[in-house]
Amino acid sequence: MNEKQRQQRDAEIIKKAAFIHAASKYLTVILQLIYTVILSRILTPEDYGTVAVINVFIVFFQLIGDMGFGAAVIQEQELTDEDVNSIYSFVVYLGMALMIVFLLLSRVIAAVYDDDIYISLGMILAAASGFYSFNAIPSAVMLKNRRFIAIAVRTVAVSAAAFTCTIFFALRGAGVYALALNTLFGAAGLFFWNEVSVKLRFLLRPAIGPVKKIFSYSLYETAAQTLNYFNRNLDNLLIGRFMYKNQLGYYSKAYALQQMPVNYLPGAITPVLHPVLSQHQDDKEFIFSNYIKLLKFLSLLGCFASAYCWFAGKEIILIAFGKQWGESVRPFRILSLSLWPQILTNTTAPIYQSIGNTKLMFQNLIFTAVMISLFIIGGVMSGSIYMVSICVSIAYVLNFFVTFFVMTRFGFHMGYVEFMKNFKEDILIYIVLFMFSVLFPVSFENVIIGAFVKLAMLLLLFFVMLVITKQLKWLMAVIGKGER
């Protein structure tokens, strides 16, 4: 098989794997929505505000649970089975240490927020942080071996089981603890599944050589993911500290809901990029050409998602959470304005990983972290969750321009202006959809009918704009139904 045939094969693998992963992701989204609809009617905004604070830390521990070794295992093509066993064992020890650290941290959180409930919540979530670490290398091995169907089945099965158990405990009066148990059930379920399907050996005295071999790559990977995570959660931390818990509950619900398109549109595709593109890490032209196709596809979807979340923001919130969450509508609509740029910037990590330049990713995030933090602090100082939402949206739009400037100029050594020209039609579509939503506000007494009518109206306009700007033909080419 020559190089061109290999590239065509891997391009097809990306499409097929993305379809499989998307199916599992979106089925999980449906389960998540059902779970959210039920729990939002059982639990209170204060319950969600309480757990939102400590959730910032548990997801952070999830990120650092493998110190970037999972991505490094995928990237490094010369690791032996024994090398992987040593790295796995090292990460297991790391997970045990993180469990202890999280237990101690929960006491600090309880003191800072003056609420002892964080100590008992910390006990549950400390166990979850350990399981996240134990899962990191087995999950990476499955991705590297391109076991995409097995990963899809695992994702749906574990999510369904965790959601079912969580709802059971919420109905039994567990309150805020049900939310913490959901995290534990999900992490533990993945662990037991991985133990059966991935045969890695735990070594009491793992060799340090394999760890040193990938440490530089993994260090920048971890540092970059850590910065990015706290960028996206500083608002929750500061609102929880300086404003009321019910305000944090309203804001965190709005933020979490608008993050679903941000996570699940690119998230259906990006996890399969690194395992495939890493095998072409010396061919940046191949990586860039396939990346542009992905960005264009997501850009068109992102334009519509952003406009619809603004247009039908009230209906979406009330259907998802109920009338008691009406205060979340305005923050949700404001945050939705930045959906399009967020969706695109959320694809960059696997590309940096594939070209082996996690250091550049980290350097870019240092600058954007400072910028986003300043906007968030300014919003929190206003004392209004609406102003926080405005500041966060502005920061994410600016982050888009900075991030892709750095990637194109210093990652791929290509022209930034030429890169941005790919999206001029998309920006026009976005502006037209948004202006329509502003100039033609419609309201329905039944929120479900309202959501569907607004969806139909915006879909029709979206289709017309795709035809006018000749992007429909391009979109069909991306999914394999035509040529550009």
Side-chain angles (χ1 to χ4, degrees):
M1 181 183 295
N2 60 38
E3 182 61 23
K4 185 176 181 179
Q5 290 174 323
R6 182 167 168 262
Q7 290 180 353
Q8 290 175 340
R9 180 204 64 186
D10 283 352
E12 287 302 315
I13 288 175
I14 290 174
K15 285 187 179 181
K16 291 177 181 178
F19 176 79
I20 294 169
H21 195 78
S24 69
K25 272 281 185 180
Y26 295 139
L27 185 52
T28 304
V29 169
I30 293 172
L31 293 174
Q32 173 80 41
L33 287 173
I34 295 172
Y35 155 82
T36 301
V37 166
I38 295 173
L39 281 188
S40 295
R41 287 159 171 77
I42 300 173
L43 305 178
T44 67
E46 187 172 351
D47 288 332
Y48 279 95
T50 298
V51 84
V53 171
I54 202 166
N55 265 348
V56 172
F57 295 96
I58 186 60
V59 181
F60 168 65
F61 272 65
Q62 179 184 357
L63 284 175
I64 66 170
D66 70 340
M67 290 295 290
F69 290 130
V73 165
I74 295 173
Q75 181 73 7
E76 180 55 59
Q77 302 298 309
E78 298 181 1
L79 293 174
T80 66
D81 290 344
E82 199 62 20
D83 290 339
V84 175
N85 285 330
S86 291
I87 295 169
Y88 167 66
S89 303
F90 179 83
V91 172
V92 169
Y93 281 123
L94 173 65
M96 294 176 183
L98 288 177
M99 291 173 68
I100 297 172
V101 172
F102 197 92
L103 285 171
L104 298 175
L105 178 63
S106 63
R107 294 184 173 275
V108 175
I109 297 172
V112 171
Y113 290 89
D114 193 25
D115 194 338
D116 287 342
I117 195 171
Y118 291 115
I119 297 176
S120 49
L121 287 174
M123 294 179 183
I124 298 172
L125 295 175
S129 71
F131 282 121
Y132 281 133
S133 291
F134 305 158
N135 288 327
I137 304 304
S139 295
V141 170
M142 292 182 73
L143 280 169
K144 187 170 186 175
N145 293 336
R146 303 182 181 186
R147 296 176 58 186
F148 300 120
I149 294 178
I151 293 171
V153 173
R154 182 193 67 177
T155 300
V156 174
V158 171
S159 297
F163 293 157
T164 301
C165 292
T166 302
I167 292 171
F168 170 79
F169 280 101
L171 291 172
R172 300 284 292 182
V176 69
Y177 293 101
L179 297 173
L181 287 170
N182 178 63
T183 304
L184 177 59
F185 294 149
L190 288 177
F191 171 76
F192 291 116
W193 191 293
N194 285 338
E195 281 295 297
V196 174
S197 60
V198 183
K199 303 300 182 182
L200 295 179
R201 288 191 301 114
F202 174 74
L203 308 175
L204 287 175
R205 300 181 64 181
I208 199 65
V211 175
K212 290 182 178 179
K213 186 176 183 179
I214 61 176
F215 185 73
S216 176
Y217 179 97
S218 64
L219 177 63
Y220 284 114
E221 166 73 14
T222 302
Q225 295 298 335
T226 300
L227 271 177
N228 184 55
Y229 181 72
F230 275 105
N231 267 351
R232 290 189 168 274
N233 288 277
L234 181 62
D235 45 1
N236 279 325
L237 289 172
L238 294 181
I239 292 173
R241 178 64 182 83
F242 296 106
M243 299 168 73
Y244 296 108
K245 282 184 178 178
N246 65 332
Q247 289 180 297
L248 176 57
Y250 292 128
Y251 177 83
S252 65
K253 271 295 188 185
Y255 185 87
L257 191 59
Q258 69 88 33
Q259 281 292 294
M260 292 186 100
V262 175
N263 291 328
Y264 289 113
L265 284 178
I269 303 173
T270 52
V272 308
L273 291 178
H274 188 203
V276 179
L277 295 181
S278 62
Q279 298 187 14
H280 301 269
Q281 55 193 270
D282 297 323
D283 188 353
K284 289 186 178 181
E285 185 177 345
F286 173 78
I287 293 175
F288 186 77
S289 64
N290 280 275
Y291 185 43
I292 286 294
K293 294 176 183 178
L294 168 65
L295 283 179
K296 188 66 178 178
F297 179 71
L298 291 175
S299 176
L300 293 170
L301 295 181
C303 289
F304 178 81
S306 188
Y308 180 68
C309 287
W310 169 274
F311 194 31
K314 178 180 177 181
E315 288 81 2
I316 292 171
I317 289 290
L318 296 183
I319 291 172
F321 306 138
K323 292 182 179 180
Q324 63 172 324
W325 293 91
E327 290 295 320
S328 294
V329 173
R330 282 182 64 191
F332 176 74
R333 296 183 74 196
I334 294 168
L335 290 168
S336 70
L337 296 177
S338 65
L339 269 181
W340 176 72
Q342 285 190 73
I343 286 169
L344 297 190
T345 52
N346 212 31
T347 64
T348 57
I351 304 304
Y352 279 118
Q353 293 166 352
S354 298
I355 64 176
N357 204 343
T358 53
K359 181 178 181 180
L360 180 61
M361 177 170 64
F362 173 64
Q363 291 170 335
N364 171 66
L365 282 168
I366 291 176
F367 178 81
T368 55
V370 174
M371 178 186 69
I372 293 173
S373 297
L374 290 175
F375 274 93
I376 291 173
I377 291 170
V380 172
M381 288 177 63
S382 73
S384 166
I385 58 173
Y386 309 127
M387 185 56 66
V388 174
S389 303
I390 292 171
C391 290
V392 168
S393 288
I394 294 172
Y396 285 152
V397 172
L398 294 176
N399 179 51
F400 165 81
F401 292 106
V402 173
T403 296
F404 282 106
F405 174 81
V406 172
M407 172 177 280
T408 53
R409 288 294 300 273
F410 304 108
F412 289 102
H413 304 289
M414 296 181 178
Y416 179 63
V417 174
E418 290 302 313
F419 169 80
M420 288 301 299
K421 284 181 179 178
N422 288 290
F423 307 105
K424 60 181 185 297
E425 297 90 355
D426 308 40
I427 295 173
L428 174 62
I429 293 173
Y430 175 78
I431 293 172
V432 171
L433 292 180
F434 175 71
M435 291 303 297
F436 174 83
S437 303
V438 173
L439 295 175
F440 299 97
V442 291
S443 180
F444 296 87
E445 190 170 330
N446 186 301
V447 292
I448 296 178
I449 293 175
F452 278 105
V453 171
K454 289 183 177 182
L455 178 63
M457 292 170 66
L458 215 59
L459 272 175
L460 178 60
L461 179 60
F462 181 56
F463 178 79
V464 171
M465 288 303 301
L466 287 176
V467 173
I468 292 174
T469 59
K470 300 181 180 179
Q471 299 305 289
L472 181 61
K473 181 179 179 180
W474 205 104
L475 184 61
M476 298 302 289
V478 171
I479 60 177
K481 301 296 184 182
E483 296 182 2
R484 177 171 172 77

